[in-house]
Amino acid sequence: MTGGMTMPDTLCQQALERVLTYLDDDGVALTTDTCRRALRLVELALAEGAGSDLPARCVSVIPDYFERPPENIPDANPPMKRGAIGYD
C-alpha cells in the first residue's frame, strides 16, 4: 500500500476545496445541501475528464449550479455631485 495520493484524488480534492472556498467567499452558506451539490458538480466534471484543468472547470460552472446572493453595493456617501473646475 502506498502512502501518497494519486493525481486524480489530488485534483478532485483541489476542485472541491476551490468550489467550497468560492461559495463561502461569495456569501453562500455551506450547508449539507450546498456541500452535496458541490460534490455533484465535481463528480460531473470528473466524468468529463480528470485533467489538470479540473479545478478551473469546476469553478467556471458554479453559476450553473448555485444561485449567488444578490450584491449589496452601498450608495456613495456623501452623495456625488457634478462640479466645475472653472474653465471658460
Coordinates of all heavy atoms in Angstrom, one line a residue:
M1 N 0.8 -1.2 0.0 CA 0.0 0.0 0.0 C 0.9 1.2 0.0 O 1.8 1.3 0.8 CB -0.9 0.0 1.2 CG -1.9 1.0 1.3 SD -3.2 0.5 2.5 CE -3.7 2.1 3.0
T2 N 0.6 2.2 -0.8 CA 1.4 3.4 -1.0 C 0.8 4.5 0.0 O -0.4 4.5 0.3 CB 1.4 3.9 -2.4 OG1 0.1 4.3 -2.8 CG2 2.0 2.9 -3.3
G3 N 1.7 5.4 0.4 CA 1.3 6.4 1.3 C 0.8 7.7 0.6 O 0.2 8.5 1.1
G4 N 1.1 7.8 -0.7 CA 0.8 9.0 -1.5 C -0.6 8.9 -2.2 O -1.1 7.8 -2.3
M5 N -1.1 10.1 -2.6 CA -2.3 10.1 -3.3 C -2.0 10.1 -4.8 O -1.0 10.5 -5.2 CB -3.1 11.4 -3.0 CG -3.7 11.4 -1.6 SD -4.6 12.9 -1.4 CE -3.5 13.9 -0.5
T6 N -3.0 9.6 -5.5 CA -2.9 9.6 -7.0 C -3.2 11.0 -7.5 O -3.9 11.7 -6.8 CB -3.8 8.5 -7.6 OG1 -5.1 8.8 -7.4 CG2 -3.4 7.1 -7.1
M7 N -2.9 11.2 -8.7 CA -3.2 12.6 -9.3 C -4.6 12.9 -9.3 O -5.0 14.0 -8.9 CB -2.6 12.6 -10.7 CG -2.7 14.0 -11.4 SD -1.9 15.3 -10.4 CE -0.9 15.9 -11.7
P8 N -5.6 12.0 -9.8 CA -7.0 12.4 -9.8 C -7.5 12.7 -8.4 O -8.3 13.6 -8.2 CB -7.7 11.1 -10.4 CG -6.6 10.5 -11.3 CD -5.3 10.8 -10.5
D9 N -7.0 11.9 -7.4 CA -7.5 12.2 -6.0 C -7.1 13.6 -5.6 O -7.9 14.4 -5.1 CB -6.9 11.2 -5.0 CG -7.4 9.8 -5.2 OD1 -8.5 9.7 -5.8 OD2 -6.8 8.9 -4.7
T10 N -5.9 14.0 -5.9 CA -5.4 15.4 -5.5 C -6.2 16.4 -6.3 O -6.7 17.4 -5.7 CB -3.9 15.5 -5.8 OG1 -3.2 14.5 -5.1 CG2 -3.4 16.9 -5.4
L11 N -6.4 16.2 -7.6 CA -7.2 17.2 -8.3 C -8.6 17.3 -7.9 O -9.2 18.4 -7.8 CB -7.1 16.8 -9.8 CG -5.8 17.1 -10.5 CD1 -5.9 16.5 -11.9 CD2 -5.6 18.6 -10.6
C12 N -9.2 16.1 -7.5 CA -10.6 16.1 -7.0 C -10.7 16.9 -5.7 O -11.6 17.7 -5.5 CB -11.0 14.7 -6.8 SG -12.7 14.5 -6.1
Q13 N -9.7 16.7 -4.8 CA -9.7 17.5 -3.6 C -9.6 19.0 -3.8 O -10.2 19.8 -3.2 CB -8.6 16.9 -2.7 CG -8.9 15.6 -2.1 CD -7.7 15.0 -1.4 OE1 -6.6 15.5 -1.5 NE2 -8.0 13.9 -0.6
Q14 N -8.6 19.3 -4.7 CA -8.4 20.7 -5.0 C -9.7 21.3 -5.6 O -10.0 22.5 -5.3 CB -7.3 20.9 -6.0 CG -5.9 20.6 -5.4 CD -4.8 20.7 -6.5 OE1 -5.1 20.9 -7.7 NE2 -3.6 20.5 -6.1
A15 N -10.3 20.6 -6.5 CA -11.5 21.1 -7.2 C -12.6 21.4 -6.1 O -13.2 22.4 -6.1 CB -12.0 20.2 -8.2
L16 N -12.9 20.4 -5.3 CA -13.9 20.6 -4.2 C -13.6 21.7 -3.3 O -14.4 22.5 -3.0 CB -14.1 19.2 -3.5 CG -15.2 19.3 -2.4 CD1 -16.5 19.6 -3.0 CD2 -15.2 17.9 -1.7
E17 N -12.3 21.8 -2.9 CA -11.9 22.9 -2.0 C -12.1 24.2 -2.6 O -12.6 25.2 -2.0 CB -10.4 22.7 -1.6 CG -9.9 23.7 -0.6 CD -8.5 23.6 -0.2 OE1 -7.8 22.6 -0.7 OE2 -8.0 24.4 0.6
R18 N -11.7 24.3 -3.9 CA -11.9 25.6 -4.6 C -13.4 26.0 -4.7 O -13.7 27.2 -4.6 CB -11.2 25.6 -5.9 CG -9.7 25.7 -5.8 CD -9.0 25.8 -7.1 NE -7.6 25.7 -6.9 CZ -6.7 25.6 -7.9 NH1 -7.1 25.7 -9.2 NH2 -5.4 25.4 -7.7
V19 N -14.2 25.0 -5.1 CA -15.6 25.3 -5.2 C -16.2 25.8 -3.8 O -16.9 26.8 -3.8 CB -16.4 24.1 -5.7 CG1 -17.9 24.3 -5.6 CG2 -16.0 23.8 -7.2
L20 N -15.9 25.1 -2.8 CA -16.4 25.4 -1.5 C -15.9 26.8 -1.0 O -16.6 27.6 -0.4 CB -16.1 24.3 -0.4 CG -16.9 23.0 -0.7 CD1 -16.4 21.9 0.3 CD2 -18.4 23.2 -0.6
T21 N -14.6 27.0 -1.2 CA -14.0 28.3 -0.9 C -14.6 29.5 -1.6 O -15.0 30.5 -1.1 CB -12.5 28.3 -1.1 OG1 -11.9 27.3 -0.3 CG2 -11.8 29.6 -0.8
Y22 N -14.9 29.3 -2.9 CA -15.5 30.3 -3.8 C -16.9 30.6 -3.2 O -17.3 31.7 -3.1 CB -15.6 29.8 -5.2 CG -16.2 30.7 -6.2 CD1 -15.4 31.5 -7.0 CD2 -17.6 30.9 -6.3 CE1 -16.0 32.4 -7.9 CE2 -18.2 31.8 -7.2 CZ -17.4 32.5 -8.0 OH -17.9 33.4 -8.9
L23 N -17.7 29.5 -2.9 CA -19.0 29.7 -2.4 C -19.0 30.4 -1.1 O -19.8 31.4 -0.9 CB -19.7 28.4 -2.3 CG -20.0 27.7 -3.6 CD1 -20.5 26.3 -3.4 CD2 -21.0 28.5 -4.4
D24 N -18.1 30.0 -0.2 CA -18.0 30.6 1.1 C -17.7 32.1 1.0 O -18.3 33.0 1.6 CB -17.0 29.9 2.0 CG -17.0 30.4 3.4 OD1 -18.1 30.6 4.0 OD2 -15.9 30.5 4.0
D25 N -16.7 32.4 0.2 CA -16.3 33.8 0.0 C -17.4 34.6 -0.7 O -17.4 35.9 -0.5 CB -15.0 33.9 -0.9 CG -13.7 33.4 -0.2 OD1 -13.8 33.2 1.0 OD2 -12.7 33.2 -0.9
D26 N -18.2 34.0 -1.4 CA -19.3 34.7 -2.1 C -20.6 34.8 -1.2 O -21.6 35.4 -1.6 CB -19.7 33.9 -3.4 CG -20.3 34.8 -4.4 OD1 -20.0 36.0 -4.4 OD2 -21.1 34.3 -5.2
G27 N -20.5 34.3 0.0 CA -21.6 34.5 1.0 C -22.6 33.4 1.0 O -23.6 33.5 1.6
V28 N -22.3 32.3 0.3 CA -23.2 31.2 0.3 C -23.0 30.3 1.5 O -21.8 30.0 1.8 CB -23.0 30.3 -1.0 CG1 -23.9 29.1 -1.0 CG2 -23.3 31.1 -2.3
A29 N -24.1 30.0 2.2 CA -23.9 29.2 3.5 C -23.5 27.8 3.1 O -24.1 27.2 2.2 CB -25.3 29.2 4.2
L30 N -22.5 27.2 3.7 CA -22.0 25.9 3.4 C -22.8 24.9 4.2 O -22.3 24.3 5.2 CB -20.5 25.8 3.7 CG -19.6 26.7 2.8 CD1 -18.2 26.5 3.1 CD2 -19.9 26.5 1.4
T31 N -24.1 24.7 3.8 CA -24.9 23.7 4.4 C -24.7 22.3 3.9 O -23.9 22.2 2.9 CB -26.4 24.1 4.2 OG1 -26.6 24.0 2.8 CG2 -26.7 25.5 4.7
T32 N -25.3 21.3 4.4 CA -25.2 20.0 3.9 C -25.6 19.9 2.5 O -25.0 19.3 1.6 CB -26.0 19.0 4.8 OG1 -25.6 19.1 6.1 CG2 -25.9 17.6 4.3
D33 N -26.7 20.6 2.2 CA -27.2 20.6 0.8 C -26.2 21.2 -0.2 O -25.9 20.8 -1.3 CB -28.6 21.3 0.7 CG -29.1 21.3 -0.7 OD1 -29.3 20.2 -1.3 OD2 -29.4 22.4 -1.3
T34 N -25.6 22.3 0.3 CA -24.6 23.0 -0.6 C -23.4 22.1 -0.8 O -22.9 22.0 -1.9 CB -24.1 24.3 0.1 OG1 -25.2 25.2 0.4 CG2 -23.1 25.1 -0.7
C35 N -23.0 21.4 0.2 CA -21.8 20.5 0.0 C -22.2 19.3 -0.9 O -21.3 19.0 -1.7 CB -21.4 20.0 1.4 SG -20.6 21.3 2.4
R36 N -23.4 18.8 -0.8 CA -23.8 17.8 -1.7 C -23.8 18.2 -3.1 O -23.4 17.5 -4.0 CB -25.2 17.2 -1.3 CG -25.2 16.4 -0.1 CD -26.6 16.0 0.2 NE -26.6 14.8 1.0 CZ -27.7 14.3 1.6 NH1 -28.8 14.9 1.4 NH2 -27.6 13.3 2.4
R37 N -24.3 19.4 -3.3 CA -24.4 20.0 -4.7 C -23.0 20.2 -5.2 O -22.7 20.0 -6.4 CB -25.2 21.3 -4.7 CG -26.7 20.9 -4.5 CD -27.6 22.1 -4.3 NE -27.5 23.1 -5.3 CZ -27.8 24.4 -5.2 NH1 -28.3 24.8 -4.0 NH2 -27.7 25.2 -6.2
A38 N -22.1 20.7 -4.4 CA -20.7 20.9 -4.8 C -20.0 19.5 -5.2 O -19.3 19.5 -6.1 CB -19.9 21.6 -3.6
L39 N -20.3 18.5 -4.4 CA -19.8 17.2 -4.7 C -20.3 16.7 -6.1 O -19.6 16.1 -6.9 CB -20.2 16.2 -3.6 CG -19.3 16.3 -2.4 CD1 -20.0 15.4 -1.2 CD2 -17.9 15.8 -2.6
R40 N -21.6 16.9 -6.3 CA -22.2 16.5 -7.6 C -21.5 17.3 -8.8 O -21.2 16.8 -9.8 CB -23.7 16.7 -7.7 CG -24.4 15.6 -6.9 CD -25.9 15.7 -7.2 NE -26.6 16.9 -6.7 CZ -27.1 17.0 -5.5 NH1 -27.1 15.9 -4.6 NH2 -27.7 18.1 -5.1
L41 N -21.3 18.6 -8.6 CA -20.6 19.4 -9.6 C -19.3 18.8 -9.9 O -18.9 18.7 -11.1 CB -20.5 20.9 -9.0 CG -19.8 21.9 -9.9 CD1 -20.3 23.3 -9.5 CD2 -18.3 21.9 -9.9
V42 N -18.5 18.5 -8.9 CA -17.1 17.9 -9.1 C -17.3 16.6 -9.8 O -16.5 16.2 -10.7 CB -16.3 17.9 -7.8 CG1 -15.0 17.1 -8.0 CG2 -16.1 19.3 -7.2
E43 N -18.2 15.8 -9.3 CA -18.4 14.4 -9.9 C -18.7 14.5 -11.4 O -18.2 13.8 -12.2 CB -19.6 13.7 -9.2 CG -19.9 12.3 -9.8 CD -21.1 11.7 -9.1 OE1 -21.9 12.4 -8.5 OE2 -21.2 10.5 -9.2
L44 N -19.6 15.5 -11.8 CA -19.9 15.6 -13.2 C -18.7 16.1 -14.0 O -18.5 15.7 -15.2 CB -21.1 16.5 -13.4 CG -22.5 15.9 -12.9 CD1 -23.6 17.0 -12.9 CD2 -22.9 14.8 -13.7
A45 N -18.0 17.0 -13.4 CA -16.7 17.5 -14.1 C -15.7 16.4 -14.3 O -15.0 16.3 -15.3 CB -16.1 18.7 -13.3
L46 N -15.6 15.5 -13.3 CA -14.7 14.4 -13.3 C -15.1 13.4 -14.4 O -14.3 12.8 -15.1 CB -14.7 13.6 -12.0 CG -13.7 14.1 -11.0 CD1 -13.9 13.4 -9.7 CD2 -12.3 13.9 -11.5
A47 N -16.4 13.3 -14.7 CA -16.9 12.4 -15.7 C -16.5 12.9 -17.1 O -16.4 12.1 -18.0 CB -18.4 12.3 -15.7
E48 N -16.2 14.2 -17.2 CA -15.7 14.7 -18.5 C -14.2 14.6 -18.6 O -13.7 14.9 -19.7 CB -16.1 16.2 -18.6 CG -17.6 16.4 -18.6 CD -18.0 17.9 -18.6 OE1 -17.0 18.8 -18.5 OE2 -19.2 18.2 -18.6
G49 N -13.5 14.2 -17.5 CA -12.1 14.0 -17.6 C -11.4 14.6 -16.4 O -11.9 15.6 -15.8
A50 N -10.4 14.0 -15.9 CA -9.7 14.4 -14.7 C -8.4 15.2 -15.1 O -7.4 15.0 -14.4 CB -9.4 13.2 -13.8
G51 N -8.4 16.0 -16.1 CA -7.2 16.7 -16.5 C -6.8 17.8 -15.5 O -7.5 18.0 -14.5
S52 N -5.7 18.3 -15.7 CA -5.1 19.3 -14.7 C -6.0 20.6 -14.6 O -5.9 21.4 -13.7 CB -3.7 19.7 -15.1 OG -3.7 20.3 -16.4
D53 N -6.9 20.7 -15.6 CA -7.8 21.9 -15.5 C -9.1 21.6 -14.8 O -10.0 22.5 -14.7 CB -8.1 22.3 -17.0 CG -9.0 21.3 -17.7 OD1 -8.9 20.1 -17.4 OD2 -9.6 21.7 -18.7
L54 N -9.2 20.5 -14.1 CA -10.4 20.2 -13.3 C -10.8 21.2 -12.4 O -12.0 21.7 -12.4 CB -10.2 18.8 -12.6 CG -11.4 18.4 -11.8 CD1 -12.6 18.1 -12.7 CD2 -11.1 17.2 -10.9
P55 N -10.0 21.7 -11.5 CA -10.4 22.8 -10.5 C -11.0 24.0 -11.3 O -12.0 24.5 -10.9 CB -9.2 23.1 -9.7 CG -8.4 21.9 -9.8 CD -8.6 21.3 -11.2
A56 N -10.3 24.4 -12.3 CA -10.8 25.6 -13.1 C -12.1 25.4 -13.7 O -13.0 26.2 -13.7 CB -9.8 26.0 -14.1
R57 N -12.3 24.2 -14.3 CA -13.6 23.8 -14.9 C -14.7 23.8 -13.9 O -15.8 24.3 -14.2 CB -13.5 22.5 -15.6 CG -12.8 22.5 -16.9 CD -12.9 21.2 -17.7 NE -12.1 20.1 -17.0 CZ -12.5 19.0 -16.7 NH1 -13.8 18.6 -16.9 NH2 -11.8 18.1 -16.1
C58 N -14.4 23.3 -12.7 CA -15.4 23.3 -11.7 C -15.9 24.7 -11.2 O -17.0 25.0 -11.1 CB -14.9 22.5 -10.5 SG -14.8 20.7 -10.8
V59 N -14.9 25.5 -11.0 CA -15.2 26.9 -10.6 C -16.0 27.6 -11.7 O -16.9 28.4 -11.4 CB -13.9 27.7 -10.2 CG1 -14.2 29.1 -10.1 CG2 -13.3 27.1 -9.0
S60 N -15.6 27.4 -13.0 CA -16.3 28.1 -14.1 C -17.8 27.7 -14.2 O -18.5 28.5 -14.8 CB -15.6 27.8 -15.4 OG -15.8 26.5 -15.8
V61 N -18.2 26.6 -13.7 CA -19.6 26.2 -13.8 C -20.4 26.5 -12.6 O -21.6 26.1 -12.5 CB -19.8 24.8 -14.3 CG1 -19.2 24.6 -15.7 CG2 -19.2 23.8 -13.3
I62 N -19.8 27.1 -11.6 CA -20.5 27.3 -10.3 C -21.8 28.1 -10.6 O -22.9 27.7 -10.0 CB -19.6 28.1 -9.3 CG1 -18.6 27.1 -8.7 CG2 -20.4 28.7 -8.2 CD1 -17.6 27.7 -7.8
P63 N -21.8 29.1 -11.4 CA -23.1 29.9 -11.6 C -24.2 29.0 -12.2 O -25.4 29.3 -12.0 CB -22.7 31.0 -12.6 CG -21.3 31.2 -12.4 CD -20.7 29.8 -12.1
D64 N -23.9 27.9 -12.9 CA -24.9 26.9 -13.4 C -25.5 26.1 -12.3 O -26.6 25.5 -12.4 CB -24.3 26.0 -14.4 CG -23.8 26.8 -15.6 OD1 -24.3 27.9 -15.9 OD2 -22.9 26.3 -16.3
Y65 N -24.8 25.9 -11.1 CA -25.3 25.0 -10.1 C -25.8 25.8 -8.8 O -26.5 25.2 -8.0 CB -24.1 24.1 -9.7 CG -23.8 23.1 -10.7 CD1 -23.0 23.3 -11.8 CD2 -24.3 21.8 -10.5 CE1 -22.8 22.3 -12.7 CE2 -24.1 20.8 -11.4 CZ -23.3 21.1 -12.5 OH -23.0 20.1 -13.5
F66 N -25.3 27.0 -8.6 CA -25.7 27.7 -7.4 C -26.2 29.1 -7.7 O -25.7 29.8 -8.6 CB -24.4 27.8 -6.5 CG -23.9 26.5 -6.0 CD1 -22.9 25.9 -6.7 CD2 -24.4 25.9 -4.9 CE1 -22.4 24.6 -6.3 CE2 -23.9 24.7 -4.4 CZ -22.9 24.1 -5.1
E67 N -27.2 29.5 -6.9 CA -27.7 30.9 -7.0 C -26.8 31.7 -6.1 O -26.7 31.5 -4.9 CB -29.1 30.9 -6.6 CG -29.8 32.3 -6.9 CD -31.3 32.3 -6.6 OE1 -31.9 31.3 -6.9 OE2 -31.8 33.3 -6.1
R68 N -26.3 32.8 -6.7 CA -25.4 33.6 -5.9 C -26.3 34.6 -5.1 O -27.3 35.1 -5.6 CB -24.4 34.4 -6.8 CG -23.5 33.4 -7.5 CD -22.6 34.1 -8.4 NE -21.8 35.2 -7.7 CZ -21.3 36.2 -8.3 NH1 -21.4 36.4 -9.6 NH2 -20.6 37.1 -7.6
P69 N -25.9 35.0 -3.9 CA -26.6 36.1 -3.2 C -26.5 37.4 -3.9 O -25.5 37.7 -4.6 CB -25.9 36.1 -1.8 CG -24.8 35.2 -1.9 CD -24.7 34.5 -3.2
P70 N -27.5 38.2 -3.8 CA -27.5 39.5 -4.5 C -26.4 40.4 -4.0 O -26.1 40.3 -2.8 CB -28.9 40.1 -4.3 CG -29.4 39.4 -3.1 CD -28.8 38.0 -3.1
E71 N -25.8 41.2 -4.9 CA -24.8 42.1 -4.4 C -25.4 43.3 -3.8 O -26.4 43.8 -4.3 CB -23.9 42.5 -5.6 CG -22.8 41.6 -5.9 CD -21.8 42.2 -7.0 OE1 -21.3 43.3 -6.7 OE2 -21.6 41.5 -8.0
N72 N -24.9 43.7 -2.7 CA -25.4 44.9 -2.0 C -24.3 46.0 -2.0 O -23.4 46.0 -1.2 CB -25.8 44.5 -0.5 CG -26.4 45.7 0.2 OD1 -26.8 46.7 -0.4 ND2 -26.5 45.6 1.5
I73 N -24.4 46.8 -3.0 CA -23.5 47.9 -3.2 C -24.0 49.2 -2.5 O -25.1 49.7 -2.9 CB -23.1 48.2 -4.6 CG1 -22.6 46.9 -5.3 CG2 -22.2 49.3 -4.8 CD1 -22.4 47.0 -6.7
P74 N -23.4 49.7 -1.5 CA -23.9 50.9 -0.8 C -23.9 52.1 -1.7 O -23.0 52.2 -2.6 CB -23.0 51.0 0.4 CG -21.8 50.3 0.1 CD -22.1 49.2 -0.9
D75 N -24.8 53.0 -1.4 CA -24.8 54.3 -2.1 C -23.5 55.1 -1.7 O -23.0 54.9 -0.6 CB -26.0 55.1 -1.7 CG -27.3 54.5 -2.2 OD1 -27.2 53.8 -3.3 OD2 -28.4 54.7 -1.6
A76 N -23.1 56.0 -2.6 CA -21.9 56.8 -2.3 C -22.3 57.8 -1.2 O -23.4 58.3 -1.2 CB -21.5 57.6 -3.6
N77 N -21.4 58.0 -0.3 CA -21.7 58.9 0.8 C -20.5 59.7 1.1 O -19.4 59.2 1.3 CB -22.0 58.1 2.1 CG -22.7 58.9 3.1 OD1 -23.1 60.1 2.9 ND2 -22.9 58.3 4.3
P78 N -20.5 61.0 1.0 CA -21.7 61.8 0.7 C -22.1 61.7 -0.8 O -21.3 61.2 -1.6 CB -21.2 63.3 1.0 CG -19.7 63.2 0.8 CD -19.3 61.8 1.2
P79 N -23.3 62.1 -1.1 CA -23.7 62.0 -2.5 C -22.8 62.7 -3.5 O -22.3 63.7 -3.2 CB -25.1 62.6 -2.5 CG -25.5 62.7 -1.1 CD -24.3 62.7 -0.2
M80 N -22.6 62.0 -4.6 CA -21.7 62.6 -5.6 C -22.4 63.7 -6.3 O -23.6 63.6 -6.6 CB -21.3 61.5 -6.6 CG -20.4 60.5 -6.0 SD -20.0 59.1 -7.1 CE -19.1 60.0 -8.4
K81 N -21.7 64.8 -6.5 CA -22.3 66.0 -7.2 C -21.3 66.4 -8.3 O -20.1 66.4 -8.2 CB -22.5 67.2 -6.3 CG -23.5 66.9 -5.2 CD -23.7 68.1 -4.3 CE -24.7 67.8 -3.3 NZ -24.9 69.0 -2.4
R82 N -21.9 66.7 -9.4 CA -21.1 67.2 -10.6 C -20.6 68.6 -10.3 O -21.4 69.4 -9.9 CB -21.9 67.1 -11.9 CG -21.1 67.4 -13.0 CD -21.9 67.2 -14.3 NE -21.1 67.6 -15.4 CZ -20.9 66.8 -16.5 NH1 -21.4 65.6 -16.5 NH2 -20.1 67.2 -17.4
G83 N -19.4 68.9 -10.5 CA -18.9 70.2 -10.3 C -18.1 70.7 -11.5 O -17.8 70.0 -12.4
A84 N -17.8 72.0 -11.4 CA -17.0 72.6 -12.5 C -15.7 73.0 -11.9 O -15.6 73.3 -10.7 CB -17.7 73.8 -13.0
I85 N -14.6 73.0 -12.7 CA -13.3 73.4 -12.2 C -12.9 74.8 -12.7 O -11.8 75.2 -12.6 CB -12.3 72.4 -12.6 CG1 -12.2 72.1 -14.0 CG2 -12.5 71.1 -11.8 CD1 -11.0 71.2 -14.4
G86 N -13.9 75.6 -13.3 CA -13.6 76.9 -13.6 C -13.1 77.2 -15.0 O -12.6 78.3 -15.2
Y87 N -13.0 76.3 -15.9 CA -12.6 76.6 -17.3 C -13.6 77.3 -18.0 O -14.8 77.1 -17.9 CB -12.2 75.3 -18.0 CG -11.0 74.6 -17.5 CD1 -11.0 73.2 -17.2 CD2 -9.8 75.3 -17.4 CE1 -9.9 72.6 -16.8 CE2 -8.7 74.6 -17.0 CZ -8.7 73.3 -16.6 OH -7.6 72.6 -16.2
D88 N -13.2 78.3 -18.8 CA -14.2 79.1 -19.6 C -14.1 78.6 -21.0 O -13.1 78.3 -21.6 CB -13.9 80.6 -19.5 CG -14.2 81.1 -18.2 OD1 -15.2 80.6 -17.6 OD2 -13.5 82.0 -17.7

